[in-house]
């Protein structure tokens, strides 16, 4: 019975988080994009950008609502499914958890104000000012919650005496070695993914025959932002590799199928694992040493150095491949697009290229999921690396399986509901009509077509 | 005052905040659904939407704040409450999720169908019921501990009159709080028709609220004598609460000073809530955990309090701004902009 609870607790947590991060990623990244569009609208005196900000914000509310409720779910599930873990770790990591709620509070208040003062402030700059706390609150809740996760990967800031945590230093726990790369990676991928998702929407509208300049501006803006953050993501990804080599070598070794400790280790891309043999792989000599330590001849610790029951499952290699491949592909795609537009090359205006942009958004989201799965499964068997194993942390309540079923239904309903609402919202009110409406409402003024 | 007591006082204050704002929210959803059902939708819809829209998200945060703070200050509660509350709290999460997201879907996504209005109204009643179970359990007698496992005795829980009295109190209090508040809000909006209707609801629900509150005192005598005597030790707090209650009802029935009636209402629940809380001291879960044996280490507690004060410096001005712009803004309330 107890083992069943552990298994179902794992599945339920994974399900909740996998569902939540779709909306959470959008929730972190989109406010920045809205702010950017509003700002561009003001400095360029271009009402299209202001409209862009409004339309994005309108869709954003729907994703925020789902993000908030699933976030509440995971917040409570931490204690409901992993009571032993929270009892122990709560002593050390409650500070960032607590700060996260403040960031969330802050964001919620100003989002409410922003949404209900559409037409109350004549001055668009005041409106921009309201977006600043929304974007800051959104980013900081990601920062704080990622700190909690970083702590689980690299716990520090306490001593253990007879199974009890003593000499606790909350700030040391916050500034753990996993924190800088994790926080940076989460933020830049959220910005990148949100930008590419907004780009796919614009490109899709263009494919469906709307050739309004509004969409072209939107796609160009989002692809540029996406390019910047996908390059940032790649650089931070490299730093994360160096962090792993130093502090969590078993995760890196499992992700890379690096079994024997050696110098000048090569990076394995793709391939399949068949009875301990790696087949059909693409090997890049010396690359793993470069990724891990920055020099081609450095020694990289292999999986053989770790006890069998302390190594993560080897399938995380596939997740690593998915994440890195999509990341690289998106850098290339957005680079081609930005260069293509700047040089007025024809290929970026083709239907094929637009379809590739449409695919970019969902692909980036898949990369987010794969990245999180890799990071989380990669620290198995630990819930607190080196301190508490996952089985010891789970609840003993026998009803987890029923709750899993309940939440499956909930997420299905939320997914269907949000998709229906979002598509209807924009299909019934295309941008052409909204521009027309606004022009007839306001006599002259700021709005031009 | 020791850190332990500061911690629980702060959390209790936030829980009080949640109970008040959530009651207004839950009750409003129910009245909206009910008025749709009986064909009086045109009277209430506008006023309720205007109040709820900018604040629905903030309501949720009060709850998150409370449980994160609880686990932060008293990590042991995660073990006891976390283990036994899996089912009731999961149900509450699901209802909250449906409620929160469908509110956004309906308001911003124009998902206009009466089905959702009813769903919204119904969840608003089920959530207080499922959350109030936590109060019942905290009174002790529903959890057994054997060979390292905790179990919630569902049969004892559901057959106890105390459970049902608390559920009924939570429901009628939600409707009463909400009705009094909306009476004032409608009056501010110069919407006489809505104010008259809400006034009627407020008077209807005042009776069950006060009757069940007294009923619980009697149940408690049979359930846990020690706790009953502790409650009586703070009789004066409940006495003030009753006086404030009478004041609210009087003002509402005389159709006078609705603003003061709302303040008396907040005072009434403040005294009742804190009287209940203080009489519960030092137990967080009778008889397993007290504020002392579950308290976190000093370093974490101090850092949490510092974070809390810093957070409040941001929050209070922001909440004030939100109130200025929406709740206390005559033009907004009257729907002029």
């Amino acid at each position: 019975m107890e083992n069943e609870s552990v298994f179902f607790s794992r599945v339920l947590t994974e399900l909740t988080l996998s569902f939540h991060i779709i909306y959470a990623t959008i929730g972190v990244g989109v406010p920045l994009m809205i702010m950017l569009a509003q700002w561009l609208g003001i400095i360029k005196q271009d009402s299209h950008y202001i409209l862009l900000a409004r339309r994005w914000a309108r869709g954003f509310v729907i994703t925020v609502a789902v993000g908030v409720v699933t976030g509440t779910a995971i917040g409570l599930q931490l204690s409901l499914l992993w009571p032993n873990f929270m009892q122990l770790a709560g002593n050390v990591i409650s500070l960032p958890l607590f700060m996260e709620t403040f960031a969330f509070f802050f964001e919620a208040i100003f989002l409410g104000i922003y949404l209900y003062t559409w037409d109350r402030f004549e001055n668009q700059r005041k409106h921009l000012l309201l977006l600043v706390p929304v974007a800051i609150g959104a980013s900081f809740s990601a920062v704080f919650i990622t700190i909690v996760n970083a702590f689980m990967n690299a716990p520090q800031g306490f001593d253990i005496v007879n199974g009890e945590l003593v000499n606790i230093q909350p700030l040391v726990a916050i500034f753990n070695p996993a924190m800088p790369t994790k926080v940076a990676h989460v933020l830049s991928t959220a910005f990148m993914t949100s930008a590419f998702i907004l780009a796919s929407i614009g490109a899709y509208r263009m494919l469906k025959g709307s050739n309004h300049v509004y969409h072209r501006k939107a796609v160009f803006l989002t692809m540029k932002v996406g390019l910047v953050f996908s390059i940032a993501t790649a650089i931070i990804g490299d730093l994360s590799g160096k962090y792993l080599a130093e502090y969590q070598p078993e995760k890196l070794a499992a992700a890379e199928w690096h079994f024997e400790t050696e110098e000048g280790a090569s990076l394995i891309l793709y391939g399949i694992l068949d009875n301990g043999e790696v087949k059909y792989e693409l090997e890049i000599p010396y690359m793993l040493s470069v990724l891990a330590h920055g020099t081609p001849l450095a020694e990289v610790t292999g999986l053989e150095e770790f006890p069998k029951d302390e190594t993560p499952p080897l399938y995380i290699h596939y997740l690593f491949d998915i994440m890195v491949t999509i990341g690289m592909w998106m850098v290339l795609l957005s680079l081609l697009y930005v260069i293509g537009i700047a040089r007025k090359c024809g290929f970026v205006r083709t239907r094929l290229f637009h379809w590739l942009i449409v695919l970019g958004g969902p692909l980036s989201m898949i990369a987010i999921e794969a990245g999180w799965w890799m990071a989380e499964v990669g620290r198995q068997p630990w819930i607190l690396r080196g301190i508490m194993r996952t089985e010891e942390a789970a609840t003993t309540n026998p009803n987890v399986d029923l709750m899993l079923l309940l939440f499956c239904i909930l997420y299905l309903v939320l997914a269907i509901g949000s998709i229906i609402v979002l598509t209807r919202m924009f299909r019934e009110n295309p941008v052409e009509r909204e521009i027309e409406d606004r022009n007839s409402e306001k006599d002259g003024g700021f709005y031009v077509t | 005052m020791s850190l332990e007591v500061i911690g629980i006082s702060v959390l209790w204050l936030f829980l009080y905040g949640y109970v008040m704002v959530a009651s207004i929210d839950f009750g409003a959803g129910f009245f909206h659904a009910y008025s749709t059902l009986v064909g009086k939708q045109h009277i209430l819809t506008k006023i309720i939407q205007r109040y709820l829209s900018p604040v629905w998200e903030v309501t949720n945060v009060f709850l998150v704040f409370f449980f994160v703070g609880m686990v932060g200050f008293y990590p042991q509660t995660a073990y006891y409450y976390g283990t036994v509350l899996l089912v009731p709290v999961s149900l509450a999460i699901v209802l909250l999720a449906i409620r929160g997201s469908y509110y956004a879907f309906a308001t911003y996504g124009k998902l206009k169908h009466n089905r959702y209005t009813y769903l919204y109204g119904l969840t608003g009643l089920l959530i207080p019921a499922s959350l109030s179970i936590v109060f019942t359990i905290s009174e002790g007698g529903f959890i057994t501990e054997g060979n390292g496992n905790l179990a919630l005795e569902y049969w004892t829980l559901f057959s106890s009159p105390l459970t049902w009295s608390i559920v009924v109190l939570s429901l009628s209090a939600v409707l009463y709080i909400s009705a009094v508040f909306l009476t004032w809000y409608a009056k501010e909006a110069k919407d006489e028709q809505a104010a008259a209707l809400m006034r009627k609801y407020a008077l209807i629900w005042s009776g069950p609220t006060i009757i069940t509150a007294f009923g619980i005192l009697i149940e408690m005598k049979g359930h846990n004598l020690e706790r009953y005597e502790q409650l009586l030790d703070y009789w004066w707090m409940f006495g003030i609460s009753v006086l404030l209650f009478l004041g609210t009802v009087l003002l509402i029935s005389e159709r006078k000073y609705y603003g003061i009636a709302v303040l008396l209402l907040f005072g009434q629940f403040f005294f009742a809530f804190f009287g209940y809380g203080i009489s519960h001291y030092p137990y967080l879960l009778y008889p397993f955990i007290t504020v002392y044996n579950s308290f976190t280490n000093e370093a974490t507690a101090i850092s949490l309090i510092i974070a809390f004060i810093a957070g409040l410096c941001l929050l209070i001005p922001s909440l004030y701004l939100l109130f200025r712009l929406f709740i206390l803004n005559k033009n907004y309330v009257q729907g002029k902009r």
Side-chain angles (χ1 to χ4, degrees):
Chain A
M1 210 58 194
E2 239 166 73
N3 283 334
E4 259 179 37
S5 288
V6 177
F7 173 75
F8 287 122
S9 296
R10 276 188 157 143
V11 178
L12 180 49
T13 309
E14 181 169 6
L15 178 75
T16 303
L17 278 175
S18 301
F19 189 73
H20 176 63
I21 55 175
I22 296 174
Y23 294 89
T25 302
I26 295 172
V28 171
V30 170
L32 185 81
M33 299 299 302
I34 299 174
M35 198 171 85
L36 216 58
Q38 178 83 14
W39 180 65
L40 279 176
I42 292 169
I43 57 167
K44 289 190 172 180
Q45 287 291 301
D46 183 339
S47 61
H48 284 146
Y49 287 103
I50 304 274
L51 190 60
L52 200 57
R54 286 190 175 203
R55 286 175 67 89
W56 282 344
R58 227 177 284 145
F60 176 66
V61 188
I62 304 296
T63 59
V64 159
V66 180
V68 167
V69 297
T70 52
T72 310
I74 189 64
L76 276 160
Q77 279 177 357
L78 270 181
S79 298
L80 295 174
L81 299 174
W82 311 99
N84 298 303
F85 162 71
M86 285 307 282
Q87 185 185 8
L88 183 77
N91 284 302
V92 193
I93 47 154
S94 45
L95 180 62
L97 265 179
F98 202 55
M99 284 153 82
E100 199 260 341
T101 45
F102 271 114
F104 175 34
F105 224 136
F106 200 50
E107 182 195 348
I109 291 173
F110 281 93
L111 186 64
I113 297 179
Y114 173 75
L115 290 173
Y116 284 87
T117 48
W118 271 156
D119 297 313
R120 252 163 96 172
F121 300 130
E122 284 298 314
N123 188 345
Q124 288 297 324
R125 278 171 213 279
K126 276 194 190 166
H127 225 79
L128 177 65
L129 278 181
L130 287 173
L131 279 167
V132 176
V134 177
I136 290 179
S139 296
F140 270 86
S141 39
V143 169
F144 292 128
I145 210 67
T146 311
I147 288 174
V148 176
N149 182 269
F151 172 81
M152 293 160 85
N153 280 277
Q156 64 169 32
F158 56 87
D159 295 317
I160 302 179
V161 178
N162 301 329
E164 282 194 25
L165 305 187
V166 292
N167 298 334
I168 287 165
Q169 299 164 283
L171 288 179
V172 178
I174 285 184
F175 293 102
N176 61 69
M179 177 255 188
T181 43
K182 267 213 182 258
V183 167
H185 200 71
V186 165
L187 283 183
S188 76
T189 51
F191 296 146
M192 160 188 162
T193 304
S194 305
F196 285 138
I197 284 178
L198 296 173
S200 8
I201 296 171
Y204 184 76
R205 292 307 308 157
M206 279 154 87
L207 273 169
K208 288 284 151 190
S210 167
N211 203 19
H212 202 281
V213 61
Y214 166 91
H215 292 303
R216 269 184 274 152
K217 285 177 184 168
V219 174
F220 188 49
L221 169 65
T222 48
M223 288 301 271
K224 266 195 293 192
V225 176
L227 174 64
V228 171
F229 284 109
S230 55
I231 292 173
T233 300
I235 295 170
I236 299 160
D238 177 67
L239 294 173
S240 305
K242 293 181 173 46
Y243 155 77
L244 284 181
E246 175 102 23
Y247 293 93
Q248 276 179 293
E250 75 281 10
K251 193 192 263 187
L252 184 69
E256 274 308 313
W257 289 346
H258 182 63
F259 300 108
E260 285 157 28
T261 302
E262 59 179 351
E263 292 169 7
S266 41
L267 185 81
I268 293 176
L269 277 180
Y270 315 116
I272 54 165
L273 199 62
D274 188 19
N275 283 331
E277 290 283 308
V278 181
K279 284 184 182 165
Y280 315 115
E281 82 279 19
L282 190 73
E283 235 183 277
I284 311 174
Y286 304 112
M287 201 51 207
L288 185 57
S289 289
V290 174
L291 176 70
H293 300 287
T295 55
L297 291 174
E299 186 182 272
V300 182
T301 318
L303 264 186
E304 59 177 9
E305 310 275 336
F306 303 94
K308 262 243 169 324
D309 68 336
E310 287 182 15
T311 53
L314 291 174
Y315 71 79
I316 62 171
H317 175 73
Y318 303 114
L319 300 171
F320 182 80
D321 282 345
I322 293 172
M323 172 181 82
V324 172
T325 310
I326 293 177
M328 289 300 151
W329 164 244
M330 291 314 294
V331 173
L332 186 73
L333 185 76
S334 50
L335 188 66
L336 277 177
Y337 182 80
V338 172
I339 293 175
I341 291 281
R343 302 231 155 160
K344 299 198 164 48
C345 301
F347 72 93
V348 292
R349 299 247 182 261
T350 56
R351 286 184 72 81
L352 174 71
F353 204 89
H354 279 120
W355 273 117
L356 291 178
I357 298 176
V358 171
L359 267 180
L363 275 180
S364 308
M365 198 51 93
I366 291 172
I368 293 264
E369 295 279 358
W372 270 114
W373 290 332
M374 185 213 139
E376 294 305 280
V377 179
R379 75 181 147 97
Q380 287 307 325
W382 304 107
I383 191 164
L384 266 180
R385 183 181 175 273
I387 294 169
M388 188 183 233
R389 295 176 74 99
T390 311
E391 341 32 301
E392 302 163 336
T395 181
T396 48
N397 192 305
N399 297 318
V400 188
D401 48 349
L402 270 176
M403 296 303 112
L404 175 62
L405 194 69
L406 183 72
F407 279 99
C408 278
I409 299 170
L410 171 70
Y411 299 144
L412 194 70
V413 170
L414 291 184
I416 295 173
S418 56
I419 291 169
I420 291 179
V421 168
L422 279 172
T423 45
R424 231 187 20 192
M425 223 166 160
F426 291 97
R427 196 165 286 159
E428 282 179 5
N429 186 17
V431 69
E432 288 83 354
R433 188 187 307 157
E434 189 164 353
I435 291 173
E436 228 169 78
D437 287 353
R438 292 205 76 85
N439 277 337
S440 56
E441 247 171 57
K442 301 213 164 193
D443 19 45
F446 204 48
Y447 288 90
V448 285
T449 17
Chain B
M1 217 172 8
S2 65
L3 286 175
E4 286 89 337
V5 178
I6 294 179
I8 192 66
S9 311
V10 163
L11 292 177
W12 203 243
L13 193 66
F14 266 82
L15 190 59
Y16 165 76
Y18 177 70
V19 168
M20 297 316 283
V21 289
S23 295
I24 296 172
D25 184 331
F26 294 150
F30 174 79
F31 289 128
H32 186 202
Y34 178 73
S35 63
T36 308
L37 191 69
V38 297
K40 291 182 182 167
Q41 192 176 14
H42 55 283
I43 304 178
L44 289 184
T45 301
K46 250 198 241 147
I47 206 83
I48 288 176
Q49 292 272 349
R50 211 176 296 148
Y51 164 73
L52 282 183
S53 299
V55 298
W56 66 273
E57 239 194 313
V58 179
T59 310
N60 221 6
V61 196
F62 272 94
L63 178 66
V64 177
F65 194 96
F66 172 75
F67 70 72
V68 169
M70 194 72 188
V71 173
F73 278 104
Y74 309 95
Q76 288 251 324
T77 54
Y79 171 66
Y80 281 92
Y81 280 116
T83 306
V84 297
L85 288 175
L86 179 72
V87 175
V89 174
S90 291
L91 285 173
I93 300 173
V94 169
L95 294 169
L96 276 172
I98 292 179
R99 186 181 163 82
S101 48
Y102 272 84
Y103 180 75
F105 292 176
T107 316
Y108 308 100
K110 312 211 163 52
L111 206 63
K112 294 258 184 286
H113 195 287
N114 285 349
R115 228 185 0 249
Y116 302 118
T117 312
Y118 297 141
L119 188 72
Y120 190 71
L122 195 66
T123 52
L125 290 189
L126 294 175
I127 294 166
S130 59
L131 286 180
S132 65
I133 296 233
V134 181
F135 288 108
T136 318
I137 290 174
S138 77
E139 293 300 338
F142 302 107
I143 294 177
T144 51
E145 194 174 23
N147 51 34
N149 280 357
L150 293 171
L152 184 61
E153 299 297 321
Y154 283 99
W155 174 243
T156 322
L157 183 67
F158 287 118
S159 60
S160 161
L162 182 66
T163 311
W164 296 106
S165 313
I166 291 181
V167 167
V168 173
L169 175 65
S170 72
L171 291 183
S172 59
V174 157
L175 296 174
Y176 173 64
I177 293 171
S178 184
V180 172
F181 179 86
L182 288 172
T183 307
W184 167 75
Y185 195 79
K187 183 83 182 171
E188 285 291 289
K190 296 208 166 65
D191 189 339
E192 298 296 338
Q193 233 187 337
L197 189 58
M198 288 320 300
R199 174 181 166 273
K200 205 175 84 192
Y201 292 149
L203 293 175
I204 290 175
W205 287 104
S206 62
T209 305
I210 201 75
I211 292 167
T212 41
F214 274 105
I216 284 170
L217 207 61
I218 295 160
E219 304 291 345
M220 200 62 110
K221 195 173 178 182
H223 181 76
N224 185 335
L225 200 61
E226 196 186 335
R227 286 280 298 113
Y228 170 73
E229 280 163 4
Q230 280 170 332
L231 278 170
L232 287 191
D233 287 344
Y234 295 93
W235 64 270
W236 56 274
M237 293 189 87
F238 299 106
I240 294 176
S241 180
V242 172
L243 287 180
L244 294 174
F245 166 80
L246 293 175
T248 312
V249 175
L250 189 72
L251 289 179
I252 294 276
S253 60
E254 294 286 313
R255 295 192 177 81
K256 275 197 282 212
Y257 309 116
Y258 289 158
I260 294 171
V262 169
L263 290 180
L264 295 183
L265 169 85
F266 287 163
Q268 174 207 338
F269 278 89
F270 185 85
F271 278 99
F273 203 71
F274 274 78
Y276 172 77
I278 295 169
S279 76
H280 211 286
Y281 175 85
Y283 288 103
L284 290 176
L285 171 59
Y286 186 88
F288 300 100
I289 35 181
T290 67
V291 292
Y292 298 100
N293 70 12
S294 64
F295 198 57
T296 187
N297 59 86
E298 201 179 315
T300 305
I302 290 173
S303 68
L304 283 178
I305 289 174
I306 293 172
F308 178 74
I309 292 169
L312 277 191
C313 294
L314 274 179
L315 262 191
I316 290 173
S318 324
L319 277 174
Y320 176 73
L321 183 65
L322 187 74
F323 267 72
R324 285 296 319 202
L325 285 172
F326 300 109
I327 314 295
L328 301 175
N329 186 307
K330 280 235 154 96
N331 283 327
Y332 173 80
V333 175
Q334 292 173 10
K336 285 187 187 147
R337 44 175 201 176

